[in-house]
Amino acid sequence: MTRRLVVGGALAALCGVLFLSLQTEKPGWWERLWYPLKYEQIVRGHARNYDLDPDLLAAVIYQESRFKARARSQSGAVGLMQLLPSTAQGIAVHTGGSQFRVSDLYNPEINVRYGAWYLRHLIEKYRDERTALAAYNAGQDNVDRWRSDGGGIRFSETRAYVKRVEEVKEIYRRAYGADLRR
């Protein structure tokens, strides 16, 4: 009985050391386990089409929905990139869409296309990725007000969102490397 406890304890310690080592070293295969990349062709294609860093686009999707196409927030945001139907309807008009249905936002291809277009629009408007991410999270009206007041991001939730998307972007860059930029 004592021997079993010693062996069990040694195995548990070894597993703990191995886990901590992997968490510290963060090899690509390990990070891919924790940060999956679903809909890779869609992400890559729309990143290319809208001249976005594919790691950034993947990070926004991860942070918004964890790549769950059926995600819906309490505020009514829908799909992979958590677009509000009113925002998506405006994007549909700007991109030549003739008919818009909220159910379209559950379609990964449409959702990522609209979200990528919107992210590109925000980057062009603000000329700064961090500010664009803040607007993606908190809305353009809030960001415009903060900027006109000469201040930075006023919402702690939005500051955390921007920081987390930037961290996840670097994780995707390390984990998927050139594969995402093919």
Side-chain angles (χ1 to χ4, degrees):
M1 182 69 159
T2 305
R3 184 171 182 207
R4 280 187 179 165
L5 287 175
V6 170
V7 170
L11 282 174
L14 181 61
C15 287
V17 168
L18 179 60
F19 180 80
L20 287 175
S21 175
L22 288 169
Q23 284 293 88
T24 303
E25 296 297 317
K26 296 183 175 158
W29 65 268
W30 180 253
E31 293 211 304
R32 286 189 294 274
L33 286 174
W34 299 100
Y35 294 88
L37 178 61
K38 297 178 183 177
Y39 312 106
E40 183 176 348
Q41 298 292 355
I42 293 171
V43 171
R44 197 175 335 129
H46 288 305
R48 188 178 314 114
N49 188 47
Y50 291 105
D51 193 29
L52 292 170
D53 179 344
D55 300 308
L56 174 64
L57 187 55
V60 169
I61 295 169
Y62 180 86
Q63 191 60 30
E64 291 290 341
S65 69
R66 301 294 193 268
F67 283 92
K68 294 179 183 132
R70 305 288 306 167
R72 186 172 182 97
S73 74
Q74 289 181 346
S75 66
V78 179
L80 291 170
M81 295 194 72
Q82 288 294 279
L83 297 168
L84 290 170
S86 58
T87 302
Q89 187 168 17
I91 294 166
V93 169
H94 277 89
T95 59
S98 59
Q99 295 181 351
F100 171 76
R101 293 182 312 262
V102 173
S103 62
D104 291 342
L105 294 177
Y106 291 108
N107 178 318
E109 198 285 323
I110 292 171
N111 192 286
V112 175
R113 178 171 21 116
Y114 285 5
W117 181 92
Y118 187 52
L119 192 54
R120 167 50 50 205
H121 165 76
L122 294 173
I123 290 170
E124 287 176 1
K125 177 179 180 177
Y126 295 110
R127 303 255 179 243
D128 174 71
E129 186 176 291
R130 288 180 52 80
T131 307
L133 289 169
Y136 195 95
N137 178 259
Q140 295 178 67
D141 290 342
N142 284 318
V143 170
D144 292 344
R145 190 171 41 259
W146 300 338
R147 290 178 60 163
S148 70
D149 293 344
I153 299 170
R154 300 273 166 84
F155 300 157
S156 60
E157 175 189 324
T158 300
R159 281 192 303 274
Y161 173 87
V162 170
K163 181 180 181 200
R164 183 65 181 143
V165 169
E166 289 178 331
E167 291 168 355
V168 174
K169 179 178 90 170
E170 292 308 315
I171 291 168
Y172 274 97
R173 181 163 287 132
R174 283 191 314 267
Y176 294 91
D179 289 344
L180 197 49
R181 286 177 273 301
R182 287 189 271 138

mmCIF file of all heavy atoms in Angstrom, residues 18-49:
data_model
loop_
_atom_site.group_PDB
_atom_site.id
_atom_site.type_symbol
_atom_site.label_atom_id
_atom_site.label_comp_id
_atom_site.label_asym_id
_atom_site.label_seq_id
_atom_site.Cartn_x
_atom_site.Cartn_y
_atom_site.Cartn_z
ATOM 1 N N LEU A 18 5.826 17.976 -15.945
ATOM 2 C CA LEU A 18 5.665 17.960 -17.400
ATOM 3 C C LEU A 18 4.681 19.036 -17.837
ATOM 4 O O LEU A 18 4.944 19.787 -18.782
ATOM 5 C CB LEU A 18 5.187 16.577 -17.863
ATOM 6 C CG LEU A 18 4.945 16.413 -19.353
ATOM 7 C CD1 LEU A 18 6.227 16.667 -20.153
ATOM 8 C CD2 LEU A 18 4.410 15.021 -19.647
ATOM 9 N N PHE A 19 3.545 19.147 -17.154
ATOM 10 C CA PHE A 19 2.543 20.160 -17.484
ATOM 11 C C PHE A 19 3.131 21.566 -17.347
ATOM 12 O O PHE A 19 2.979 22.403 -18.230
ATOM 13 C CB PHE A 19 1.310 20.006 -16.595
ATOM 14 C CG PHE A 19 0.241 21.017 -16.889
ATOM 15 C CD1 PHE A 19 -0.621 20.843 -17.959
ATOM 16 C CD2 PHE A 19 0.092 22.148 -16.096
ATOM 17 C CE1 PHE A 19 -1.610 21.782 -18.244
ATOM 18 C CE2 PHE A 19 -0.889 23.089 -16.367
ATOM 19 C CZ PHE A 19 -1.745 22.899 -17.442
ATOM 20 N N LEU A 20 3.810 21.833 -16.238
ATOM 21 C CA LEU A 20 4.411 23.154 -16.035
ATOM 22 C C LEU A 20 5.475 23.453 -17.078
ATOM 23 O O LEU A 20 5.592 24.580 -17.561
ATOM 24 C CB LEU A 20 5.009 23.259 -14.627
ATOM 25 C CG LEU A 20 3.994 23.368 -13.500
ATOM 26 C CD1 LEU A 20 4.703 23.350 -12.147
ATOM 27 C CD2 LEU A 20 3.158 24.624 -13.642
ATOM 28 N N SER A 21 6.249 22.443 -17.457
ATOM 29 C CA SER A 21 7.259 22.613 -18.493
ATOM 30 C C SER A 21 6.618 22.985 -19.829
ATOM 31 O O SER A 21 7.068 23.893 -20.521
ATOM 32 C CB SER A 21 8.080 21.332 -18.635
ATOM 33 O OG SER A 21 8.978 21.435 -19.715
ATOM 34 N N LEU A 22 5.542 22.276 -20.180
ATOM 35 C CA LEU A 22 4.847 22.572 -21.436
ATOM 36 C C LEU A 22 4.214 23.959 -21.398
ATOM 37 O O LEU A 22 4.249 24.691 -22.394
ATOM 38 C CB LEU A 22 3.792 21.509 -21.726
ATOM 39 C CG LEU A 22 4.332 20.142 -22.142
ATOM 40 C CD1 LEU A 22 3.218 19.106 -22.150
ATOM 41 C CD2 LEU A 22 5.014 20.216 -23.501
ATOM 42 N N GLN A 23 3.673 24.333 -20.248
ATOM 43 C CA GLN A 23 3.071 25.662 -20.121
ATOM 44 C C GLN A 23 4.134 26.754 -20.221
ATOM 45 O O GLN A 23 3.866 27.840 -20.711
ATOM 46 C CB GLN A 23 2.316 25.801 -18.797
ATOM 47 C CG GLN A 23 0.991 25.102 -18.761
ATOM 48 C CD GLN A 23 -0.020 25.718 -19.706
ATOM 49 O OE1 GLN A 23 -0.092 25.347 -20.869
ATOM 50 N NE2 GLN A 23 -0.790 26.645 -19.231
ATOM 51 N N THR A 24 5.340 26.469 -19.766
ATOM 52 C CA THR A 24 6.423 27.439 -19.828
ATOM 53 C C THR A 24 7.025 27.512 -21.230
ATOM 54 O O THR A 24 7.224 28.586 -21.784
ATOM 55 C CB THR A 24 7.525 27.078 -18.808
ATOM 56 O OG1 THR A 24 6.928 27.022 -17.515
ATOM 57 C CG2 THR A 24 8.647 28.085 -18.816
ATOM 58 N N GLU A 25 7.309 26.358 -21.798
ATOM 59 C CA GLU A 25 7.947 26.294 -23.124
ATOM 60 C C GLU A 25 6.984 26.632 -24.254
ATOM 61 O O GLU A 25 7.383 27.178 -25.265
ATOM 62 C CB GLU A 25 8.545 24.906 -23.361
ATOM 63 C CG GLU A 25 9.674 24.548 -22.415
ATOM 64 C CD GLU A 25 10.869 25.477 -22.581
ATOM 65 O OE1 GLU A 25 11.241 25.784 -23.733
ATOM 66 O OE2 GLU A 25 11.413 25.899 -21.548
ATOM 67 N N LYS A 26 5.736 26.249 -24.121
ATOM 68 C CA LYS A 26 4.671 26.507 -25.087
ATOM 69 C C LYS A 26 5.032 26.100 -26.517
ATOM 70 O O LYS A 26 5.013 26.932 -27.426
ATOM 71 C CB LYS A 26 4.267 27.961 -25.044
ATOM 72 C CG LYS A 26 3.682 28.342 -23.714
ATOM 73 C CD LYS A 26 3.204 29.750 -23.684
ATOM 74 C CE LYS A 26 2.541 29.937 -22.347
ATOM 75 N NZ LYS A 26 2.390 31.163 -21.832
ATOM 76 N N PRO A 27 5.321 24.823 -26.728
ATOM 77 C CA PRO A 27 5.558 24.395 -28.110
ATOM 78 C C PRO A 27 4.271 24.562 -28.928
ATOM 79 O O PRO A 27 3.162 24.553 -28.372
ATOM 80 C CB PRO A 27 5.934 22.915 -27.978
ATOM 81 C CG PRO A 27 5.404 22.489 -26.656
ATOM 82 C CD PRO A 27 5.380 23.712 -25.781
ATOM 83 N N GLY A 28 4.415 24.729 -30.247
ATOM 84 C CA GLY A 28 3.266 24.985 -31.104
ATOM 85 C C GLY A 28 2.159 23.970 -30.956
ATOM 86 O O GLY A 28 0.979 24.327 -30.861
ATOM 87 N N TRP A 29 2.505 22.677 -30.903
ATOM 88 C CA TRP A 29 1.474 21.648 -30.814
ATOM 89 C C TRP A 29 0.673 21.779 -29.523
ATOM 90 O O TRP A 29 -0.522 21.521 -29.480
ATOM 91 C CB TRP A 29 2.072 20.240 -30.947
ATOM 92 C CG TRP A 29 2.996 19.852 -29.823
ATOM 93 C CD1 TRP A 29 4.342 20.022 -29.780
ATOM 94 C CD2 TRP A 29 2.620 19.242 -28.582
ATOM 95 N NE1 TRP A 29 4.844 19.562 -28.580
ATOM 96 C CE2 TRP A 29 3.800 19.071 -27.829
ATOM 97 C CE3 TRP A 29 1.411 18.818 -28.040
ATOM 98 C CZ2 TRP A 29 3.807 18.496 -26.570
ATOM 99 C CZ3 TRP A 29 1.413 18.248 -26.771
ATOM 100 C CH2 TRP A 29 2.605 18.095 -26.055
ATOM 101 N N TRP A 30 1.345 22.199 -28.443
ATOM 102 C CA TRP A 30 0.687 22.366 -27.148
ATOM 103 C C TRP A 30 -0.295 23.539 -27.207
ATOM 104 O O TRP A 30 -1.427 23.437 -26.751
ATOM 105 C CB TRP A 30 1.746 22.589 -26.070
ATOM 106 C CG TRP A 30 1.210 22.783 -24.681
ATOM 107 C CD1 TRP A 30 1.167 23.944 -23.972
ATOM 108 C CD2 TRP A 30 0.653 21.778 -23.820
ATOM 109 N NE1 TRP A 30 0.631 23.731 -22.731
ATOM 110 C CE2 TRP A 30 0.304 22.407 -22.608
ATOM 111 C CE3 TRP A 30 0.431 20.414 -23.953
ATOM 112 C CZ2 TRP A 30 -0.269 21.731 -21.550
ATOM 113 C CZ3 TRP A 30 -0.149 19.742 -22.892
ATOM 114 C CH2 TRP A 30 -0.487 20.391 -21.702
ATOM 115 N N GLU A 31 0.127 24.658 -27.795
ATOM 116 C CA GLU A 31 -0.748 25.821 -27.892
ATOM 117 C C GLU A 31 -1.924 25.546 -28.822
ATOM 118 O O GLU A 31 -3.012 26.063 -28.611
ATOM 119 C CB GLU A 31 0.042 27.047 -28.329
ATOM 120 C CG GLU A 31 1.017 27.455 -27.236
ATOM 121 C CD GLU A 31 1.278 28.922 -27.175
ATOM 122 O OE1 GLU A 31 1.687 29.489 -28.189
ATOM 123 O OE2 GLU A 31 1.067 29.493 -26.089
ATOM 124 N N ARG A 32 -1.721 24.735 -29.842
ATOM 125 C CA ARG A 32 -2.830 24.383 -30.739
ATOM 126 C C ARG A 32 -3.896 23.570 -30.002
ATOM 127 O O ARG A 32 -5.064 23.633 -30.362
ATOM 128 C CB ARG A 32 -2.316 23.654 -31.978
ATOM 129 C CG ARG A 32 -1.625 24.598 -32.956
ATOM 130 C CD ARG A 32 -1.303 23.936 -34.273
ATOM 131 N NE ARG A 32 -0.323 22.874 -34.172
ATOM 132 C CZ ARG A 32 0.990 23.040 -34.215
ATOM 133 N NH1 ARG A 32 1.512 24.236 -34.389
ATOM 134 N NH2 ARG A 32 1.800 22.008 -34.127
ATOM 135 N N LEU A 33 -3.486 22.813 -28.972
ATOM 136 C CA LEU A 33 -4.482 22.094 -28.163
ATOM 137 C C LEU A 33 -5.397 23.069 -27.413
ATOM 138 O O LEU A 33 -6.598 22.851 -27.310
ATOM 139 C CB LEU A 33 -3.793 21.193 -27.130
ATOM 140 C CG LEU A 33 -3.142 19.920 -27.636
ATOM 141 C CD1 LEU A 33 -2.380 19.244 -26.498
ATOM 142 C CD2 LEU A 33 -4.190 18.973 -28.198
ATOM 143 N N TRP A 34 -4.834 24.132 -26.881
ATOM 144 C CA TRP A 34 -5.572 25.094 -26.073
ATOM 145 C C TRP A 34 -6.252 26.167 -26.910
ATOM 146 O O TRP A 34 -7.240 26.770 -26.480
ATOM 147 C CB TRP A 34 -4.639 25.749 -25.047
ATOM 148 C CG TRP A 34 -4.062 24.747 -24.103
ATOM 149 C CD1 TRP A 34 -2.815 24.194 -24.164
ATOM 150 C CD2 TRP A 34 -4.713 24.128 -22.997
ATOM 151 N NE1 TRP A 34 -2.656 23.278 -23.152
ATOM 152 C CE2 TRP A 34 -3.810 23.222 -22.416
ATOM 153 C CE3 TRP A 34 -5.968 24.264 -22.429
ATOM 154 C CZ2 TRP A 34 -4.122 22.451 -21.305
ATOM 155 C CZ3 TRP A 34 -6.290 23.497 -21.321
ATOM 156 C CH2 TRP A 34 -5.359 22.611 -20.773
ATOM 157 N N TYR A 35 -5.688 26.442 -28.090
ATOM 158 C CA TYR A 35 -6.208 27.489 -28.968
ATOM 159 C C TYR A 35 -6.453 26.907 -30.355
ATOM 160 O O TYR A 35 -5.663 27.102 -31.277
ATOM 161 C CB TYR A 35 -5.235 28.673 -29.040
ATOM 162 C CG TYR A 35 -5.113 29.365 -27.717
ATOM 163 C CD1 TYR A 35 -4.176 28.950 -26.777
ATOM 164 C CD2 TYR A 35 -5.960 30.410 -27.377
ATOM 165 C CE1 TYR A 35 -4.084 29.564 -25.532
ATOM 166 C CE2 TYR A 35 -5.873 31.031 -26.141
ATOM 167 C CZ TYR A 35 -4.930 30.592 -25.226
ATOM 168 O OH TYR A 35 -4.850 31.206 -24.007
ATOM 169 N N PRO A 36 -7.558 26.193 -30.504
ATOM 170 C CA PRO A 36 -7.836 25.575 -31.803
ATOM 171 C C PRO A 36 -8.142 26.631 -32.862
ATOM 172 O O PRO A 36 -8.476 27.774 -32.541
ATOM 173 C CB PRO A 36 -9.070 24.718 -31.528
ATOM 174 C CG PRO A 36 -9.731 25.373 -30.372
ATOM 175 C CD PRO A 36 -8.623 25.952 -29.538
ATOM 176 N N LEU A 37 -8.013 26.237 -34.105
ATOM 177 C CA LEU A 37 -8.312 27.119 -35.228
ATOM 178 C C LEU A 37 -9.307 26.412 -36.131
ATOM 179 O O LEU A 37 -8.931 25.623 -36.992
ATOM 180 C CB LEU A 37 -7.042 27.476 -36.007
ATOM 181 C CG LEU A 37 -7.241 28.352 -37.236
ATOM 182 C CD1 LEU A 37 -7.840 29.705 -36.845
ATOM 183 C CD2 LEU A 37 -5.922 28.550 -37.957
ATOM 184 N N LYS A 38 -10.578 26.675 -35.878
ATOM 185 C CA LYS A 38 -11.620 26.113 -36.723
ATOM 186 C C LYS A 38 -11.851 27.079 -37.884
ATOM 187 O O LYS A 38 -11.491 28.246 -37.800
ATOM 188 C CB LYS A 38 -12.912 25.915 -35.934
ATOM 189 C CG LYS A 38 -12.775 24.923 -34.799
ATOM 190 C CD LYS A 38 -14.075 24.810 -34.038
ATOM 191 C CE LYS A 38 -13.913 23.869 -32.856
ATOM 192 N NZ LYS A 38 -15.145 23.788 -32.061
ATOM 193 N N TYR A 39 -12.447 26.581 -38.948
ATOM 194 C CA TYR A 39 -12.773 27.400 -40.113
ATOM 195 C C TYR A 39 -11.535 28.084 -40.699
ATOM 196 O O TYR A 39 -11.580 29.237 -41.114
ATOM 197 C CB TYR A 39 -13.858 28.436 -39.765
ATOM 198 C CG TYR A 39 -15.032 27.849 -39.043
ATOM 199 C CD1 TYR A 39 -15.211 28.062 -37.683
ATOM 200 C CD2 TYR A 39 -15.948 27.045 -39.712
ATOM 201 C CE1 TYR A 39 -16.287 27.502 -37.000
ATOM 202 C CE2 TYR A 39 -17.028 26.476 -39.043
ATOM 203 C CZ TYR A 39 -17.181 26.705 -37.696
ATOM 204 O OH TYR A 39 -18.240 26.159 -37.024
ATOM 205 N N GLU A 40 -10.430 27.350 -40.723
ATOM 206 C CA GLU A 40 -9.152 27.928 -41.148
ATOM 207 C C GLU A 40 -9.216 28.532 -42.548
ATOM 208 O O GLU A 40 -8.689 29.621 -42.779
ATOM 209 C CB GLU A 40 -8.057 26.872 -41.079
ATOM 210 C CG GLU A 40 -6.690 27.414 -41.435
ATOM 211 C CD GLU A 40 -5.582 26.385 -41.276
ATOM 212 O OE1 GLU A 40 -5.817 25.320 -40.687
ATOM 213 O OE2 GLU A 40 -4.479 26.682 -41.761
ATOM 214 N N GLN A 41 -9.851 27.837 -43.482
ATOM 215 C CA GLN A 41 -9.930 28.361 -44.862
ATOM 216 C C GLN A 41 -10.704 29.676 -44.902
ATOM 217 O O GLN A 41 -10.330 30.600 -45.622
ATOM 218 C CB GLN A 41 -10.595 27.334 -45.791
ATOM 219 C CG GLN A 41 -9.859 26.025 -45.924
ATOM 220 C CD GLN A 41 -8.537 26.168 -46.665
ATOM 221 O OE1 GLN A 41 -8.180 27.223 -47.172
ATOM 222 N NE2 GLN A 41 -7.789 25.089 -46.715
ATOM 223 N N ILE A 42 -11.778 29.751 -44.138
ATOM 224 C CA ILE A 42 -12.585 30.975 -44.092
ATOM 225 C C ILE A 42 -11.779 32.111 -43.470
ATOM 226 O O ILE A 42 -11.746 33.229 -43.998
ATOM 227 C CB ILE A 42 -13.899 30.721 -43.314
ATOM 228 C CG1 ILE A 42 -14.791 29.755 -44.092
ATOM 229 C CG2 ILE A 42 -14.628 32.027 -43.017
ATOM 230 C CD1 ILE A 42 -16.007 29.265 -43.317
ATOM 231 N N VAL A 43 -11.119 31.835 -42.369
ATOM 232 C CA VAL A 43 -10.315 32.860 -41.690
ATOM 233 C C VAL A 43 -9.205 33.345 -42.619
ATOM 234 O O VAL A 43 -9.026 34.550 -42.822
ATOM 235 C CB VAL A 43 -9.723 32.320 -40.369
ATOM 236 C CG1 VAL A 43 -8.707 33.292 -39.777
ATOM 237 C CG2 VAL A 43 -10.839 32.030 -39.368
ATOM 238 N N ARG A 44 -8.490 32.404 -43.188
ATOM 239 C CA ARG A 44 -7.382 32.763 -44.076
ATOM 240 C C ARG A 44 -7.875 33.558 -45.282
ATOM 241 O O ARG A 44 -7.299 34.584 -45.652
ATOM 242 C CB ARG A 44 -6.649 31.503 -44.519
ATOM 243 C CG ARG A 44 -5.297 31.817 -45.080
ATOM 244 C CD ARG A 44 -4.445 30.630 -45.433
ATOM 245 N NE ARG A 44 -4.723 29.414 -44.742
ATOM 246 C CZ ARG A 44 -4.912 28.248 -45.362
ATOM 247 N NH1 ARG A 44 -4.868 28.154 -46.665
ATOM 248 N NH2 ARG A 44 -5.150 27.160 -44.661
ATOM 249 N N GLY A 45 -8.955 33.089 -45.900
ATOM 250 C CA GLY A 45 -9.474 33.756 -47.100
ATOM 251 C C GLY A 45 -9.945 35.167 -46.829
ATOM 252 O O GLY A 45 -9.635 36.096 -47.595
ATOM 253 N N HIS A 46 -10.689 35.381 -45.759
ATOM 254 C CA HIS A 46 -11.182 36.730 -45.474
ATOM 255 C C HIS A 46 -10.088 37.636 -44.931
ATOM 256 O O HIS A 46 -10.130 38.850 -45.161
ATOM 257 C CB HIS A 46 -12.406 36.677 -44.565
ATOM 258 C CG HIS A 46 -13.615 36.159 -45.285
ATOM 259 N ND1 HIS A 46 -14.100 36.715 -46.446
ATOM 260 C CD2 HIS A 46 -14.421 35.102 -45.020
ATOM 261 C CE1 HIS A 46 -15.149 36.038 -46.868
ATOM 262 N NE2 HIS A 46 -15.359 35.039 -46.015
ATOM 263 N N ALA A 47 -9.119 37.077 -44.244
ATOM 264 C CA ALA A 47 -7.964 37.894 -43.825
ATOM 265 C C ALA A 47 -7.241 38.416 -45.071
ATOM 266 O O ALA A 47 -6.893 39.601 -45.147
ATOM 267 C CB ALA A 47 -7.021 37.079 -42.953
ATOM 268 N N ARG A 48 -7.040 37.541 -46.029
ATOM 269 C CA ARG A 48 -6.379 37.945 -47.277
ATOM 270 C C ARG A 48 -7.238 38.970 -48.022
ATOM 271 O O ARG A 48 -6.748 40.007 -48.462
ATOM 272 C CB ARG A 48 -6.116 36.724 -48.150
ATOM 273 C CG ARG A 48 -5.276 37.005 -49.375
ATOM 274 C CD ARG A 48 -4.983 35.753 -50.210
ATOM 275 N NE ARG A 48 -4.549 34.619 -49.420
ATOM 276 C CZ ARG A 48 -5.254 33.477 -49.278
ATOM 277 N NH1 ARG A 48 -6.406 33.304 -49.889
ATOM 278 N NH2 ARG A 48 -4.790 32.498 -48.527
ATOM 279 N N ASN A 49 -8.523 38.686 -48.150
ATOM 280 C CA ASN A 49 -9.426 39.547 -48.902
ATOM 281 C C ASN A 49 -9.522 40.952 -48.307
ATOM 282 O O ASN A 49 -9.625 41.929 -49.043
ATOM 283 C CB ASN A 49 -10.817 38.905 -48.961
ATOM 284 C CG ASN A 49 -11.746 39.634 -49.877
ATOM 285 O OD1 ASN A 49 -11.399 39.978 -50.998
ATOM 286 N ND2 ASN A 49 -12.961 39.872 -49.417
#
